[in-house]
């Protein structure tokens, strides 16, 4: 999950260069002082010694906890026992919490983590140089609303695991989940049976499920090509469980997926537009999160002087923002994924939308084009907008509406925008990654001409 109910963290490589002998072997007592940006408690040893003076990160702990933990690295420890509980600590709702790699914060109330994320944003923006920080508008998704999951698959003797990698370890079978939409959870037991009786999965693979308006859309990545018999099994499965489309590609590749079975159109709606997204397409994590982002983007549009007003939308995907924007302005949308562009183009006809396939890292939209737009909207991948941001900073469009899933990159870009005379007008925190440390925001930056 962008915790993405995604496959959890893969085992971290052991860092070289740290002296193993400096890590105490025995469990020690630590006091948790605060949460680090990744959601792990940052703790100091109760009794500092020569061996353990530095703070360490301890997962699943909360500020105020006193915890017995065993150090596993220079700055990492695993909790063994909570000795004194933080006042805010609650019982996690999920029996898999702490093992499954999906959630980091179920031991704290969701209202608490929303405030924690808000404080992280306030601190980050202030450090970036924002002096007149606007109030942060908060929206939080509900449990059970996650509609997109990227899950690891593993064949074991006589069983199939479908789940998220535990930290630094194997996938944990998702026997239940309070995050994912119930439709997705209910598919997992029959999917295990299906994978057990077909030859598709020898060892490992993954499963990306998007819950579309027309039903669950499955993209299987496995290590064995489907046989004729596998294809019939999948077709029968799709019919039995009302799955419009099942696609496949070889695990570990980014090959175009092959559609193995399609019993109905795979459809999603953005505004009044109906889109057929490609298998595995990027979607916002939850429907309420998507609606909140769309509303925040539309609210951030400048006053529109006429129907000819034109905005530039960068990293448009399949059109989550494009179609709602086109109800108000003419949209020039740019996206780098060919299949997403095809879906966007197909649904755009007759609307005020121009779509271009463009790798914005290699060929960014140029500063002079950006400068003349009423506003520029950007929703880059986690790694940020790279060269495209350089063109934005040169072009200095009057209004920039920035959707971000990576606060670190957002704060860096904020500092650069402030240096170009922008001010931060509004911030919406869309907490669609419930129980994780992930933060999604919509920010409006503006700049008066001549500044
Ligand atoms: C966070 S998603 C946002 C998509 C869309 N705005 C939405 O809300 O559904 C980022 C998008 O950037 C696209 N992308 C990633 N790298 C790109 C690049 N170098 N050039 C153009 N698009 C890129 C991805 O394909 C993806 O659709």
């Amino acid at each position: 999950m962008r915790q993405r109910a995604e496959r959890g963290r893969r085992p971290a490589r052991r860092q070289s260069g740290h002296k193993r002998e400096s890590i105490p072997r025995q469990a020690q007592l630590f006091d948790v002082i605060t949460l680090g940006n990744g959601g792990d408690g940052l703790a100091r040893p109760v009794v500092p010694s020569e061996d353990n003076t530095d703070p360490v990160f301890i997962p699943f702990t909360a500020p105020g906890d006193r915890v017995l933990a065993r150090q596993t690295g220079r700055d990492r420890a695993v909790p063994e026992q909570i000795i004194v509980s933080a006042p805010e600590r609650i019982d996690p709702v999920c029996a898999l919490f702490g093992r499954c790699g999906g959630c980091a914060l179920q031991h704290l109330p969701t209202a608490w983590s929303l405030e924690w994320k808000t404080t992280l944003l306030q601190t980050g923006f202030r450090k970036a140089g924002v002096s007149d920080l606007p109030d942060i508008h908060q929206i939080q998704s509900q449990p059970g609303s996650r509609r997109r999951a990227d899950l690891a698959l593993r064949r074991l003797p006589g069983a199939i695991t479908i789940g998220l990698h535990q930290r630094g370890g194997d996938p944990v079978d998702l026997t239940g989940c309070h995050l994912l939409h119930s439709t997705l959870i209910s598919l997992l037991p029959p999917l295990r049976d299906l994978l057990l009786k077909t030859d598709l999965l020898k060892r490992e693979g993954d499963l990306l499920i998007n819950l579309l308006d027309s039903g669950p859309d499955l993209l299987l990545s496995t290590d064995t090509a489907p046989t004729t018999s596998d294809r019939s099994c999948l077709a029968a499965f799709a019919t039995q469980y009302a799955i419009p489309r099942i696609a496949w590609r070889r695990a570990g590749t980014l090959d175009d997926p092959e559609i193995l079975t399609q019993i109905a159109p795979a459809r999603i709606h953005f505004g009044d537009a109906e889109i057929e997204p490609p298998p595995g397409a990027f979607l916002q994590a939850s429907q309420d999160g998507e609606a909140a982002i769309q509303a925040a983007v539309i609210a951030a549009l400048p006053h529109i002087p006429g129907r000819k007003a034109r905005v530039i939308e960068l990293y448009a995907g399949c059109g989550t923002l494009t179609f709602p924007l086109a109800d108000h302005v003419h949209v020039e949308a740019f996206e780098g994924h060919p299949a997403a562009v095809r879906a966007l183009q197909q649904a755009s006809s007759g609307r005020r939308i121009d779509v271009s396939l463009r790798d914005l890292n290699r060929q960014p939209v140029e500063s002079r084009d950006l400068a003349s737009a009423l506003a520029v909207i950007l929703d880059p991948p986690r790694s940020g907008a790279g060269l495209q941001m350089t063109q934005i900073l040169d072009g200095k469009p009057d209004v920039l509406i920035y959707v971000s899933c990576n606060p670190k990159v957002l704060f860096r870009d904020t500092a650069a925008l402030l240096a170009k005379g922008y001010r931060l007008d509004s911030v919406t925190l869309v907490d669609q990654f419930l129980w994780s440390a992930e933060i999604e925001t919509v920010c409006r930056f503006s700049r008066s001409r001549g500044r």
Side-chain angles (χ1 to χ4, degrees), residues 3-159:
Q3 100 239 4
R4 284 164 191 253
E6 287 171 3
R7 289 178 299 126
R9 292 178 208 176
R10 293 219 173 249
R13 279 207 206 121
R14 181 173 289 168
Q15 293 195 340
S16 58
H18 299 306
K19 289 188 208 147
R20 293 277 316 161
E21 58 272 21
S22 67
I23 298 168
R25 286 162 190 269
Q26 304 288 326
Q28 315 266 329
L29 279 180
F30 291 89
D31 281 333
V32 181
I33 301 142
T34 183
L35 283 196
N37 292 357
D40 292 345
L42 186 63
R44 288 196 178 282
V46 173
V47 184
S49 71
E50 238 175 60
D51 276 349
N52 63 345
T53 50
D54 293 339
V56 294
F57 289 101
I58 312 179
F60 317 120
T61 60
D65 278 342
R66 174 163 286 187
V67 54
L68 187 66
R70 190 170 39 78
Q71 236 172 305
T72 52
R74 191 178 50 87
D75 63 352
R76 305 220 63 87
V78 288
E80 292 197 342
Q81 197 186 343
I82 305 293
I83 306 295
V84 178
S85 280
E88 289 83 9
R89 183 174 266 283
I90 54 169
D91 289 335
V93 288
C94 179
L96 297 178
F97 180 65
R99 286 193 290 132
C100 156
C103 292
L105 296 173
Q106 273 194 18
H107 57 299
L108 287 160
T110 50
W112 189 96
S113 35
L114 185 61
E115 289 311 317
W116 171 69
K117 290 181 186 189
T118 305
T119 306
L120 284 187
L121 284 177
Q122 288 165 332
T123 309
F125 281 126
R126 289 204 176 103
K127 278 193 186 155
V130 179
S131 51
D132 49 351
L133 187 64
D135 286 344
I136 295 183
H137 185 48
Q138 305 164 314
I139 289 150
Q140 192 168 48
S141 288
Q142 292 303 305
S145 65
R146 189 68 63 86
R147 63 171 176 191
R148 179 178 163 79
D150 185 357
L151 304 170
L153 304 175
R154 182 171 286 183
R155 184 182 281 275
L156 305 170

Side-chain angles (χ1 to χ4, degrees), residues 63 116 146 166 426-427:
W116 171 69
R146 189 68 63 86
Q166 60 181 300
S426 66
V427 182

Side-chain angles (χ1 to χ4, degrees), residues 2 270 282-284 293 313-321 334-337 340 358-362 379-382 405:
R2 248 183 180 173
F270 298 138
F282 176 88
L283 290 183
Q284 296 296 342
I293 293 170
E313 187 199 357
L314 306 166
Y315 310 97
C318 295
T320 307
L321 308 175
F334 293 84
E335 162 63 39
H337 192 286
R358 185 87 76 92
D359 181 339
L360 298 168
N361 283 350
R362 290 167 185 266
D379 184 4
R382 199 170 171 71
C405 63

Side-chain angles (χ1 to χ4, degrees), residues 221-408:
S221 302
T222 66
D223 45 11
T224 312
T227 61
T228 312
S229 144
D230 292 339
R231 286 167 194 265
S232 328
C233 283
L234 286 163
F237 182 81
T239 307
Q240 186 176 353
Y241 292 98
I243 298 169
R245 179 172 69 180
I246 303 179
W248 175 85
R249 74 170 155 217
R250 191 166 286 282
T253 72
L254 288 177
D255 294 349
D256 277 345
E258 178 192 348
I259 293 172
L260 297 183
T261 184
Q262 179 147 18
I263 60 163
R267 295 272 158 82
I268 191 162
H269 294 85
F270 298 138
D272 66 352
E274 191 175 65
I275 290 98
E276 180 159 359
F282 176 88
L283 290 183
Q284 296 296 342
S286 67
Q287 210 165 15
D288 52 5
E290 174 186 286
I293 293 170
Q294 289 167 331
V297 167
I298 298 302
L301 277 176
H303 172 70
I304 297 161
R307 283 183 59 82
K308 289 209 173 131
R310 178 184 67 97
V311 299
I312 293 182
E313 187 199 357
L314 306 166
Y315 310 97
C318 295
T320 307
L321 308 175
T322 320
F323 294 98
L325 280 167
D327 289 340
H328 302 269
V329 282
H330 187 114
V331 187
E332 285 180 23
F334 293 84
E335 162 63 39
H337 192 286
V341 168
R342 279 195 295 278
L344 188 46
Q345 264 162 346
Q346 265 166 21
S348 295
S349 95
R351 295 174 190 264
R352 291 184 288 166
I353 299 174
D354 295 315
V355 185
S356 300
L357 174 64
R358 185 87 76 92
D359 181 339
L360 298 168
N361 283 350
R362 290 167 185 266
Q363 199 192 350
V365 178
E366 287 183 23
S367 53
R368 61 171 182 274
D369 295 324
L370 299 168
S372 61
L374 175 74
V376 171
I377 296 98
L378 87 154
D379 184 4
R382 199 170 171 71
S383 52
L387 269 189
Q388 184 59 74
M389 185 48 77
T390 312
Q391 292 297 319
I392 292 171
L393 293 166
D394 284 352
K396 303 191 210 94
D398 290 348
V399 172
L400 185 67
I401 305 171
Y402 190 157
V403 184
S404 165
C405 63
N406 186 340
K408 203 170 156 193

Side-chain angles (χ1 to χ4, degrees), residues 181-197:
H181 195 285
S182 56
T183 306
L184 303 188
I185 290 295
S186 63
L187 267 185
L188 299 185
L191 266 168
R192 287 187 191 97
D193 294 343
L194 174 81
L195 288 169
L196 204 52
K197 72 176 184 213

